[in-house]
């Protein structure tokens, strides 16, 4: 599979150090900054959730955490959608409703870090914005609209789309409607949700408002599990998960109509198709060696005999050259799928080669001495330059692993 002719190697900035001792000091400083006291934000339950039919899997009201902006950020808003995989069967959704990803009964106050932090040093561009984290309790990336009977006779509520609409409506009444700047973001399944709802979010504001989307680790691939390797099953794991979710939870309403006219709804749920229909400015932030997808899509448990891939998928540094080549096949597919973004005006790319998953909600990957660097920019610097249009464009695709020395083993995986 061909790779892009415009792939860029990372520009190594001030961090290129010859002395291992100095590098150790920087990593220790990064860890210290990443464990600094976070902002704790209380949970707010949606008003009138039952009347609106906007409820979690178990019927409890959904929730969100709102931290008010101040100073120059008083009329700027960041809406962040929580991630946490999907449920694609009655059995998996029944299990899910018994925990934090299916019921607000188990939700507590949340810590705000990374792009959600109000620490100016860590988050210089967005620290004083109004910031909202919407909790994920539907199991379909805030997109379903159906219900089913659980085996115990109770109702499973697949109301992700109603949750999205009702929570955003409530936030509009709390000041989002008068925003002058706005970002819709999210991580993992929340990153996919940011893609699914990007156009709707953008359309809620007047044209003069800068409303953009920032999906983080939400670009999931339809690829067989290590199909180029003889010792793996070759199953289309992500297709199976999405296919069950799409049909069980009825997500058709959020899918692009032009895609549905030509393709199966499951295919339209994948980001490679979604980006074709998104008109709002969007920055795709992702690792081309996404650790979650490598563990759960490329090499899911049960897809290989013995322990041949167990150590490798836990830590990419343990992989053989043959296994790295399989991962490079995944990377090539990823690069091909995001190729369309390169020609989209006002869009951005930050595709690094670090073995990580979700980079915006953590101090260490968002903005620290251990943050990945592309084009001489950390994640935070790249996002800020793209959003505020401080650079002509931010479209960076890293070279193949292990070419980027700024990829630290301290990054969340």
């Amino acid at each position: 599979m061909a790779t892009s002719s415009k792939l860029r190697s990372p520009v190594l900035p001030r961090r290129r150090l010859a002395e291992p001792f100095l590098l150790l000091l920087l990593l220790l400083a990064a860890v210290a900054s990443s464990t600094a006291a976070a902002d704790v934000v209380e949970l707010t339950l949606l008003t009138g959730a039952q009347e609106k039919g906007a409820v979690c899997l178990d019927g409890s009201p959904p929730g969100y955490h709102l931290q008010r902006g101040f100073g120059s950020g008083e009329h700027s808003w960041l809406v962040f959608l929580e991630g946490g995989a999907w449920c694609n069967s009655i059995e998996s959704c029944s299990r899910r409703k018994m925990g934090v990803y299916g019921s607000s009964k188990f939700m507590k106050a949340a810590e705000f870090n990374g792009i959600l932090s109000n620490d100016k040093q860590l988050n210089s561009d967005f620290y004083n914005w109004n910031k909202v984290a919407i909790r994920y309790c539907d199991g379909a990336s805030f997109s379903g609209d159906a219900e089913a009977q659980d085996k115990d006779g109770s109702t499973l509520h697949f109301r992700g789309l109603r949750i999205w609409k009702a929570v955003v409506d409530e936030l509009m009444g709390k000041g989002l409607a008068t925003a002058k700047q706005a970002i819709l973001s999210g991580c993992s399944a929340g990153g996919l949700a940011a893609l699914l709802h990007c156009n709707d979010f953008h359309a809620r504001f007047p044209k003069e408002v800068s409303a953009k989307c920032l999906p983080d680790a939400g670009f999931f691939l339809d690829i067989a599990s290590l199909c180029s390797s003889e010792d793996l099953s070759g199953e289309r794991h992500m297709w199976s998960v999405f296919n069950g979710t799409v049909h069980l939870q009825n997500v058709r309403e959020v899918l692009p109509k032009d895609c549905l006219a030509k393709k199966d709804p499951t295919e339209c749920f994948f980001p490679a198709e979604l980006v074709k229909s998104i008109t709002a400015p969007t920055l795709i932030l992702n690792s081309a060696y996404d650790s979650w997808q490598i563990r759960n899509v490329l090499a899911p448990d049960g897809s290989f005999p013995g322990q041949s891939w167990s150590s490798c998928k836990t830590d990419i540094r343990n992989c053989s050259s043959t296994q790295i080549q399989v991962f490079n096949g995944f990377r090539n597919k990823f690069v091909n799928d995001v190729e369309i973004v390169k020609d989209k005006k006002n869009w951005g790319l930050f595709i690094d080669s670090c073995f990580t998953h979700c980079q915006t909600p953590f101090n260490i990957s968002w903005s620290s001495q251990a943050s990945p660097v592309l084009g001489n920019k950390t994640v935070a610097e790249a996002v800020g330059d793209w959003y505020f249009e401080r650079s002509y464009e931010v479209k960076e695709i890293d070279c193949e692993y292990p070419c980027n020395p700024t990829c630290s083993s301290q990054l969340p995986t």
Side-chain angles (χ1 to χ4, degrees):
M1 194 172 289
T3 58
S4 169
S5 60
K6 298 181 180 178
L7 298 184
R8 303 175 186 175
S9 297
V11 178
L12 303 184
R14 54 228 174 243
R15 203 178 308 176
R16 193 174 197 174
L17 301 171
E19 294 293 335
F21 180 69
L22 291 178
L23 179 58
L24 176 61
L25 288 178
L26 289 177
L27 286 177
L28 289 174
V31 172
S33 68
S34 70
T35 56
D39 307 313
V40 177
V41 184
E42 294 301 321
L43 178 70
T44 299
L45 295 178
L46 176 69
T47 303
Q50 278 79 16
E51 293 80 2
K52 299 169 184 175
V55 294
C56 299
L57 286 170
D58 71 335
S60 61
Y64 59 90
H65 307 268
L66 170 61
Q67 185 179 65
R68 288 290 184 179
F70 56 93
S72 61
E74 184 180 359
H75 296 290
S76 300
W77 285 73
L78 171 67
V79 177
F80 190 91
L81 302 174
E82 184 186 26
W86 307 266
C87 63
N88 61 343
S89 66
I90 296 296
E91 292 75 17
S92 63
C93 292
S94 180
R95 292 192 298 269
R96 190 179 179 97
K97 77 174 184 179
M98 302 305 294
V100 69
Y101 292 118
S103 172
S104 61
K105 297 174 184 176
F106 303 95
M107 295 178 186
K108 299 179 181 179
E111 292 186 350
F112 275 18
N113 289 295
I115 195 172
L116 295 171
S117 173
N118 69 357
D119 186 328
K120 186 175 182 179
Q121 187 173 3
L122 286 170
N123 191 26
S124 60
D125 283 319
F126 310 109
Y127 73 98
N128 63 350
W129 283 32
N130 296 278
K131 295 182 288 288
V132 187
I134 303 179
R135 299 300 292 267
Y136 180 35
C137 66
D138 64 279
S141 289
F142 298 88
S143 64
D145 193 6
E147 63 181 38
Q149 187 175 25
D150 201 348
K151 290 183 177 180
D152 64 3
S154 63
T155 299
L156 283 170
H157 305 268
F158 304 131
R159 301 300 187 188
L161 180 57
R162 298 192 193 190
I163 292 172
W164 159 258
K165 291 179 177 179
V167 172
V168 173
D169 284 347
E170 185 161 299
L171 293 172
M172 294 292 276
K174 292 187 174 184
L176 180 60
T178 59
K180 296 178 180 177
Q181 300 179 119
I183 295 177
L184 175 64
S185 187
C187 153
S188 195
L192 174 61
L195 288 169
L196 288 163
H197 296 298
C198 183
N199 281 343
D200 175 61
F201 183 77
H202 184 264
R204 288 172 175 264
F205 303 99
K207 291 184 178 180
E208 62 270 17
V209 173
S210 177
K212 302 183 180 184
C213 303
L214 175 62
D216 176 10
F219 207 100
F220 296 92
L221 301 188
D222 176 19
I223 191 170
S225 57
L226 293 173
C227 54
S228 61
S229 176
E230 295 180 356
D231 62 344
L232 285 115
S233 66
E235 294 179 2
R236 293 172 72 188
H237 176 75
M238 210 66 240
W239 176 276
S240 177
V241 172
F242 279 3
N243 188 55
T245 302
V246 163
H247 291 94
L248 176 67
Q249 299 213 32
N250 182 32
V251 307
R252 289 185 66 97
E253 187 175 338
V254 302
L255 301 179
K257 300 299 184 289
D258 52 345
C259 181
L260 289 174
K262 300 175 290 185
K263 300 185 177 184
D264 184 278
T266 302
E267 189 170 356
C268 299
F269 199 62
F270 280 93
E273 292 299 326
L274 292 174
V275 295
K276 296 176 183 178
S277 301
I278 295 174
T279 55
T282 301
L283 186 147
I284 306 294
L285 169 63
N286 227 103
S287 168
Y289 298 85
D290 185 284
S291 57
W292 189 91
Q293 293 193 65
I294 284 176
R295 289 171 178 154
N296 296 281
V297 180
L298 277 168
D301 291 342
S303 67
F304 50 87
Q307 300 299 314
S308 57
W309 286 86
S310 297
S311 178
C312 171
K313 72 174 189 173
T314 300
D315 188 335
I316 196 170
R317 295 173 298 175
N318 297 330
C319 298
S320 68
S321 58
T322 300
Q323 289 169 324
I324 292 296
Q325 284 306 307
V326 175
F327 290 176
N328 284 340
F330 175 87
R331 174 194 175 277
N332 293 342
K333 165 67 171 169
F334 191 102
V335 170
N336 286 341
D337 280 0
V338 299
E339 189 75 23
I340 186 175
V341 173
K342 288 190 171 183
D343 297 325
K344 282 179 168 273
K345 185 179 179 183
N346 299 324
W347 279 53
L349 289 169
F350 191 98
I351 311 299
D352 58 57
S353 59
C354 305
F355 188 65
T356 188
H357 180 68
C358 289
Q359 299 178 74
T360 56
F362 304 103
N363 294 344
I364 196 166
S365 48
W366 174 247
S367 179
S368 79
Q369 289 291 343
S371 176
V373 170
L374 286 180
N376 205 30
K377 295 179 175 70
T378 63
V379 177
E381 290 167 344
V383 171
D385 284 355
W386 163 76
Y387 182 83
F388 295 105
E389 300 177 5
R390 294 189 295 240
S391 294
Y392 171 67
E393 66 175 19
V394 177
K395 291 180 178 175
E396 301 289 344
I397 300 180
D398 210 351
C399 43
E400 291 184 352
Y401 177 87
C403 67
N404 189 339
T406 68
C407 288
S408 169
S409 61
Q410 300 293 328
L411 295 175
T413 60

